[in-house]
Amino acid sequence: MTTAPADPIVKPESAPPAEPAAPGPKRSSVARRLLPFGYLSPTIVLIVVLMIVPIVMVISYSFRDNVIVQENSVFAGLANYTDVLTDPDFLAAIKNTGIFITVSMVAHLLLGLGFAMMLNSPLLGGVAKSLFRVVYVLPWLFTIAVIAVIWRLLLDPSGVVNYVLNALGLIDQGVDWLGSPSTALWVVTFANIWSGYPFFMISLLAGLQGIPGELYEAASVDGASPWRKFLHVTLPQLRPVIISMAVLDLIWTSQQFALIWMMTGGGPLNSTEMLSTFTYKLAFSEYEFATASASAVVVLLLTMILAFFYVRQQRER
C-alpha cells in the first residue's frame, strides 16, 4: 500500500512594505508658544479691561486737573500729590489706619492662636471641639453689612451693651460709643477684630495639626516644660503660617472700607477716617476726582509694597 504524497506547503506571499506616512504639518515654534496665551485670553482680556485700564486711567487723572466733571482737563504735574500729602485729614487718616491695622493684627494673632491651641488640645472631647469650632467660626460667616448692623444695634445708647454695663454698675447712663471721638475708633477696631480672628484660628489650627508629634515627644524626653515646648517647638513650626497670615491681614485690613463706612462713615470729627474712606469722600462727596486719584495712587503704592513682601515670603517658603 502506497502512501499519498503530502501536499506541498504553500508559503504566503509577503506583503509589500508599507509606505511611510506622509509627515503632517509641523506646528511652528511660535504657534506652540502662543497656544497657552490663547487658552488664557479670556482671563487676560478681563484683567486688562477691569484692572489694567482703570489703574492707568487713575494714574493719568492724578497728574491732571478738572477731570471727569469738565470736558477739558489740564496738566497739573505733582500738584495733586502735594495737596494730598499735606492735607491734615490725610495725615489723620494715615494715623487712624496705622492704629486700626496694628491693633487688629496683634489681636487677630493672639486670639487666633489661643483658640486654635484650645481646639487642638487633647483635653477637649470630639463633641466639645465640634461645638466650639462652630461657635468660634460664626463671625467669619457673616457679611460685612450684617456685622456692621449687628454692632450698631448692640452699641446703640439704648442697646444691649449699655444695658449690661448699666446693670453691672459700670456706667450710670448710656454711652454713645460710635458717636464719641474718644471711643469710635476703638469700637470699630473691636468689630474688625471680632469679624476677622476666625481666619487666623482656622489657619493656625491647620498648622498645629501638621506639627509632628515626635517633636513634642523628644522635647518631653529632654525635660522641656509646656512653655518651652511652645517656644521651641510650636512657634518655630508655625512661623511660616504666622508670617503669611500677618502679611495677608496687613493687606486686607489696610483696604477695609465697608465696615468703617457702614458703622461711622469716617466720623465723628474724622476720628475713624481711614485712607479708604478719605479717598472715597474726595471722589464721591467733594467730587475732587483728580485729588482722589492721587490719594488712590498713594494707597496703591503702599499696597504693592506689602504685596511684594508677601510674594517674596511665599517664594522663600
Side-chain angles (χ1 to χ4, degrees):
M1 181 176 179
T2 59
T3 306
D7 294 335
I9 301 174
V10 179
K11 296 182 178 181
E13 296 181 359
S14 58
E19 296 181 359
K26 294 184 178 179
R27 186 177 296 169
S28 64
S29 59
V30 176
R32 288 198 301 270
R33 293 178 181 176
L34 294 179
L35 182 60
F37 295 97
Y39 293 126
L40 294 174
S41 57
T43 304
I44 294 175
V45 170
L46 288 177
I47 291 176
V48 171
V49 173
L50 300 179
M51 187 173 68
I52 303 299
V53 172
I55 289 176
V56 173
M57 292 177 62
V58 169
I59 293 175
S60 65
Y61 289 163
S62 67
F63 292 102
R64 307 188 68 83
D65 198 6
N66 298 329
V67 296
I68 298 180
V69 293
Q70 295 187 12
E71 183 177 357
N72 297 320
S73 61
V74 294
F75 182 76
L78 298 177
N80 293 323
Y81 291 94
T82 303
D83 294 340
V84 167
L85 296 176
T86 56
D87 191 338
D89 292 339
F90 180 79
L91 300 179
I94 290 180
K95 177 185 176 182
N96 294 335
T97 304
I99 296 173
F100 182 72
I101 291 174
T102 303
V103 176
S104 296
M105 286 181 56
V106 173
H108 283 162
L109 176 59
L110 294 179
L111 289 176
L113 182 58
F115 289 139
M117 293 186 67
M118 187 191 74
L119 294 176
N120 195 52
S121 173
L123 300 177
L124 291 178
V127 177
K129 285 184 179 180
S130 301
L131 179 61
F132 282 123
R133 286 180 183 181
V134 172
V135 172
Y136 290 149
V137 85
L138 277 179
W140 199 30
L141 302 180
F142 296 135
T143 62
I144 294 297
V146 173
I147 293 171
V149 171
I150 288 174
W151 282 105
R152 283 184 66 90
L153 293 175
L154 291 175
L155 296 169
D156 189 82
S158 58
V160 176
V161 173
N162 282 324
Y163 176 80
V164 173
L165 294 177
N166 191 13
L168 295 175
L170 299 178
I171 58 175
D172 297 330
Q173 58 183 0
V175 178
D176 190 2
W177 299 98
L178 295 174
S180 174
S182 60
T183 58
L185 178 60
W186 302 109
V187 168
V188 172
T189 304
F190 180 84
N192 183 68
I193 293 169
W194 181 81
S195 65
Y197 82 85
F199 180 69
F200 265 76
M201 181 190 70
I202 294 173
S203 302
L204 292 173
L205 179 60
L208 286 172
Q209 294 177 347
I211 299 176
E214 293 81 1
L215 297 178
Y216 292 104
E217 294 176 1
S220 298
V221 171
D222 292 337
S225 63
W227 176 247
R228 289 190 175 274
K229 290 180 183 178
F230 175 75
L231 289 180
H232 300 289
V233 177
T234 304
L235 284 183
Q237 293 295 315
L238 290 179
R239 180 176 176 272
V241 179
I242 291 175
I243 294 177
S244 299
M245 293 298 100
V247 178
L248 276 178
D249 193 34
L250 180 60
I251 296 174
W252 291 342
T253 307
S254 64
Q255 302 298 313
Q256 183 64 268
F257 170 79
L259 181 66
I260 295 123
W261 186 255
M262 296 185 69
M263 289 188 69
T264 63
L269 301 177
N270 295 332
S271 59
T272 60
E273 192 79 275
M274 306 290 170
L275 291 175
S276 56
T277 57
F278 173 80
T279 304
Y280 181 85
K281 287 180 179 179
L282 278 178
F284 301 106
S285 295
E286 303 177 13
Y287 301 103
E288 296 288 344
F289 292 103
T291 311
S293 298
S295 176
V297 171
V298 173
V299 176
L300 174 64
L301 293 176
L302 295 176
T303 306
M304 289 180 64
I305 293 173
L306 299 177
F308 168 78
F309 285 108
Y310 175 74
V311 173
R312 181 179 179 181
Q313 190 275 333
Q314 291 296 315
R315 288 183 176 178
E316 291 177 354
R317 291 182 58 185

